[in-house]
Amino acid sequence: MSTSTPVLEVRNIVKYFGTVIALNDISLRLMPGEVLCLLGDNGAGKSTLIKTLSGVHKPDEGEYLVEGKQVSFDSPRDALAHGIATVYQDLAMIPLMSVARNFFLGSEPTRGWGIFKRFDVARASQIAREELNKMGIDIRDADQPVGTLSGGERQSVAIARAVHFGAKVLILDEPTSALGVKQAGVVLRYIARARAQGVAVIFITHNPHHAYPIGDKFVILKRGRIMGTYTKAELPRDEMIRMMSGGEELDALEHELREFAGK
Amino acid sequence: MQAANTTTPDERVRREGGLRRLLRRPEMGAVGGALLVWLFFAIVAGDSGFLTLRGAATYLEVAAQLGILAVAVSLLMIAGEFDLSIGSTIGACGMIMALLAVDLGWNLWAAIGASLVFALLVGAINGILVVRTKLPSFIITLASLFVIRGLTIGITRLATGRTQLGGIDETLGFDSASAFFASALRIVDPASSRGASAEFPISVLWWLLIAGLATYVLLRTRPGNWIFGIGGDENAARNVGVPVDRIKIALFMTTAVAAWLVATITVIEARGADVLRGEQREFFAIIATVIGGTLLTGGYGSAIGAVFGALIVGMVQQGIVFAGVDADWFQVFLGAMLIIAVLVNNFIRRRASQAK
């Protein structure tokens, strides 16, 4: 794989829901080890775009390429097989199951063969701990239920799992939105670690203070269209904050409020 | 750094006392409950036979038949589904054996085999309906409860004009089948000076065998991990590649096979079949499972818990007879125990999963 091939690319994607044009002419390129921040207000089409990328929806028009090869996903499972892993906000983690059992759900390591093939619990715990360590997540005990972890730790386990099972692209749907300042920092650090391992990340967030430090590229989505794609150098922090929080609309609102209160 | 981390335990892992570690197991409530119930009847009915070997044999027989069902039900319930049709399946399987062996003169083993095929079919249909229609299994199996019971009564009456069939002991193959499903182990009571002995039914062995198998599957195989995953979050499990539909159908077939085994045991023990046999067994099995610490909504539980749940129900059912209380009161005890068990289990689970 040459370094000039994007790991994920979509060209002119269009998605309809009945008469509604949910996505219109969306094009994205994502290189390995790149963090792309997807920004936009509610209803901008962020969720639809993620779901299209992760195999939940099929685009009505346009091309979808993974490592330069055209693909068409029938299910999230299908996308996962191509290395596109999505970590949703409402975590795909089962609180009453242990960290190790969650980590390996669906891909359990086994020993023995035939009818004596069994789930290698000890190895699962060990690998889970090692992998989490590699990501800088210091889990106390891989046999403790996921329910005993904090929100940030759970997100981190989900990210570590995706990386361990060979994700090339990680789609993170608002992983920091429900977290406190410190925990969000923890998750951002893991995103940086994943990037350092060559994983490309699509990071969806409402929070410019989370997006700016980690992002390499910023895509602003509005009413189903891409309003602009910027590299970090092209987009000063203040400008990005302005664009994310609604830009001109906020100016107009401020003006209106001043009129209302003032005179 | 990694090597060090995997060999030396994290310094933040408080060395858990053995007790606390044990409390994390879902079945601990039921084990403690069984001990309490045993102590209670040992005090109340100790001198009227509860403590003798024969006393143990009577409650173990009840517990064994219920336990076979409860263990299968616990697997299904951990996966988040219900099976209300097992009681009817017991009646139907028993009647199929009796009709084929007594009325049509089949070898009893062939009749047992045919009713096993029927049970597998019932389980598969229940499972496929649940998976395809996405209706709650409560509704699907409530429907099959009535359909199967109705068919059993209707067809039996049409074919024979009766609702009970005897004469199983005169069929071909009865002796060997009896050895397999309904023999008894005579154990001499070492505490008795006159050499008193008690007969333990072989169904107790079946019960323990099935419980061991179910525990192994749950804790040490991939499908076991999938069962927990499906019950915890079906969509999450599906997204990571767990064959949710296949596992669910297999679990419905498992509960139906457990019903078939109980049917076989009772038909041979009673030497006949009754269209109403197995009534309410589905509720008893669910009660034993819930007492055993399995979460009604799935994702948490154990087969060992179901074993102790069944043991508790068996001890209470027979214990109140030993205590001289009218057996009519059994259901009152059972209902009250169910509530207490759920409250205790909730408390234990909350403590276990909030260990921060």
Side-chain angles (χ1 to χ4, degrees):
Chain A
M1 182 179 60
S2 76
T3 46
S4 60
T5 314
V7 60
L8 181 151
E9 184 175 7
V10 291
R11 293 181 190 150
N12 314 106
I13 283 216
V14 179
K15 177 73 199 169
Y16 305 111
F17 289 118
T19 56
V20 178
I21 306 167
L23 295 177
N24 196 353
D25 198 24
I26 302 282
S27 297
L28 291 174
R29 282 163 69 90
L30 191 62
M31 306 304 286
E34 194 173 48
V35 176
L36 182 150
C37 291
L38 192 59
L39 316 168
D41 207 354
N42 291 335
K46 288 189 311 247
S47 310
T48 311
L49 179 54
I50 304 161
K51 284 184 174 163
T52 308
L53 294 178
S54 66
V56 177
H57 298 320
K58 263 190 177 173
D60 293 304
E61 285 169 35
E63 292 172 69
Y64 190 164
L65 298 95
V66 173
E67 293 181 325
K69 280 186 241 52
Q70 196 151 357
V71 292
S72 172
F73 299 141
D74 294 319
S75 67
R77 178 83 195 134
D78 208 7
L80 202 58
H82 282 80
I84 316 289
T86 310
V87 176
Y88 288 102
Q89 200 177 357
D90 47 346
L91 280 167
M93 285 273 160
I94 293 147
L96 284 167
M97 277 170 85
S98 76
V99 173
R101 279 177 175 268
N102 261 293
F103 196 94
F104 283 102
L105 181 61
S107 318
E108 297 84 357
T110 56
R111 56 193 293 190
W113 38 266
I115 61 162
F116 298 109
K117 195 157 95 182
R118 55 199 186 279
F119 179 15
D120 193 342
V121 180
R123 204 153 70 88
S125 301
Q126 192 201 332
I127 296 175
R129 249 191 85 127
E130 273 175 24
E131 283 301 316
L132 293 172
N133 260 314
K134 222 184 278 177
M135 299 285 294
I137 308 164
D138 193 5
I139 208 78
R140 276 148 288 182
D141 174 6
D143 294 324
Q144 73 192 81
V146 160
T148 64
L149 300 181
S150 69
E153 285 174 318
R154 283 189 221 187
Q155 288 284 357
S156 308
V157 173
I159 294 170
R161 174 171 69 182
V163 172
H164 175 72
F165 289 110
K168 294 175 223 149
V169 179
L170 209 52
I171 302 174
L172 306 174
D173 184 9
E174 308 210 8
T176 55
S177 65
L179 302 180
V181 178
K182 220 170 179 177
Q183 289 196 6
V186 171
V187 173
L188 292 178
R189 217 165 284 137
Y190 302 150
I191 295 175
R193 297 237 192 185
R195 171 171 62 185
Q197 292 185 29
V199 178
V201 179
I202 298 178
F203 177 33
I204 294 95
T205 181
H206 270 118
N207 191 329
H209 303 293
H210 293 162
Y212 200 75
I214 191 80
D216 299 311
K217 230 190 223 176
F218 302 90
V219 171
I220 316 260
L221 214 59
K222 196 172 179 184
R223 299 176 74 88
R225 283 176 176 276
I226 289 182
M227 298 309 287
T229 304
Y230 307 91
T231 62
K232 200 172 206 159
E234 293 167 349
L235 189 68
R237 182 189 285 255
D238 293 343
E239 178 61 17
M240 190 194 71
I241 294 174
R242 221 180 74 86
M243 289 178 83
M244 280 188 74
S245 49
E248 312 88 73
E249 281 121 84
L250 262 193
D251 291 347
L253 180 67
E254 203 181 331
H255 186 69
E256 202 179 308
L257 289 176
R258 201 177 305 135
E259 263 183 14
F260 200 64
K263 290 199 192 152
Chain B
M1 168 217 161
Q2 281 159 40
N5 261 321
T6 52
T7 48
T8 56
D10 193 303
E11 76 281 3
R12 282 172 305 168
V13 181
R14 190 153 49 107
R15 284 219 48 80
E16 257 182 338
L19 186 70
R20 203 183 162 77
R21 240 203 139 79
L22 272 178
L23 275 179
R24 242 199 227 170
R25 302 286 323 143
E27 60 269 5
M28 279 330 287
V31 173
L35 220 71
L36 282 179
V37 169
W38 185 84
L39 269 177
F40 175 78
F41 284 112
I43 293 164
V44 174
D47 46 5
S48 49
F50 183 80
L51 286 175
T52 62
L53 215 53
R54 195 165 296 174
T58 44
Y59 63 71
L60 280 180
E61 177 167 15
V62 174
Q65 287 189 14
L66 179 58
I68 290 168
L69 297 173
V71 166
V73 166
S74 70
L75 296 188
L76 182 67
M77 223 147 94
I78 292 170
E81 302 289 349
F82 272 111
D83 190 351
L84 297 178
S85 70
I86 49 179
S88 301
T89 307
I90 292 173
C93 282
M95 223 16 144
I96 289 170
M97 280 173 229
L99 281 172
L100 293 178
V102 178
D103 266 40
L104 299 180
W106 285 30
N107 183 303
L108 184 55
W109 281 102
I112 289 172
S115 72
L116 174 60
V117 172
F118 170 80
L120 287 168
L121 212 66
V122 167
I125 291 171
N126 276 337
I128 290 167
L129 279 176
V130 167
V131 166
R132 286 282 148 80
T133 62
K134 305 207 187 310
L135 289 174
S137 51
F138 189 92
I139 299 297
I140 301 276
T141 58
L142 185 62
S144 40
L145 181 163
F146 285 101
V147 170
I148 295 168
R149 184 68 75 190
L151 282 174
T152 308
I153 298 172
I155 291 174
T156 307
R157 224 198 286 271
L158 269 180
T160 66
R162 286 176 295 163
T163 57
Q164 289 175 321
L165 290 177
I168 286 283
D169 47 341
E170 282 147 32
T171 59
L172 279 167
F174 175 79
D175 290 337
S176 55
S178 180
F180 220 67
F181 294 107
S183 58
L185 303 165
R186 177 169 291 278
I187 295 174
V188 177
D189 192 340
S192 163
S193 52
R194 286 169 300 166
S197 62
E199 290 193 337
F200 286 83
I202 199 167
S203 52
V204 174
L205 285 186
W206 281 104
W207 172 36
L208 298 179
L209 186 80
I210 288 170
L213 195 69
T215 302
Y216 172 75
V217 168
L218 266 183
L219 298 182
R220 284 293 178 272
T221 68
R222 297 187 70 195
N225 206 37
W226 299 344
I227 290 171
F228 282 109
I230 292 168
D233 187 337
E234 191 180 320
N235 268 327
R238 191 172 276 130
N239 280 341
V240 294
V242 172
V244 174
D245 294 356
R246 259 195 298 151
I247 293 287
K248 278 193 178 175
I249 293 169
L251 289 173
F252 277 105
M253 291 169 80
T254 305
T255 51
V257 168
W260 161 85
L261 180 57
V262 170
T264 311
I265 290 166
T266 53
V267 161
I268 294 175
E269 275 182 355
R271 287 155 167 59
D274 185 324
V275 290
L276 293 182
R277 191 160 294 152
E279 262 192 328
Q280 289 194 350
R281 288 291 107 182
E282 58 279 347
F283 295 119
F284 283 84
I286 290 172
I287 290 172
T289 305
V290 170
I291 289 178
T294 296
L295 203 57
L296 206 64
T297 45
Y300 188 80
S302 87
I304 298 175
V307 168
F308 282 93
L311 184 62
I312 290 176
V313 174
M315 283 196 291
V316 172
Q317 186 174 338
Q318 297 305 313
I320 60 174
V321 178
F322 280 112
V325 179
D326 195 294
D328 293 344
W329 293 91
F330 165 59
Q331 299 199 7
V332 179
F333 280 91
L334 198 62
M337 235 164 34
L338 178 64
I339 299 289
I340 295 168
V342 172
L343 289 175
V344 171
N345 284 333
N346 274 351
F347 175 73
I348 289 178
R349 191 173 56 249
R350 212 172 302 130
R351 286 208 55 177
S353 64
Q354 278 180 352
K356 273 234 67 176

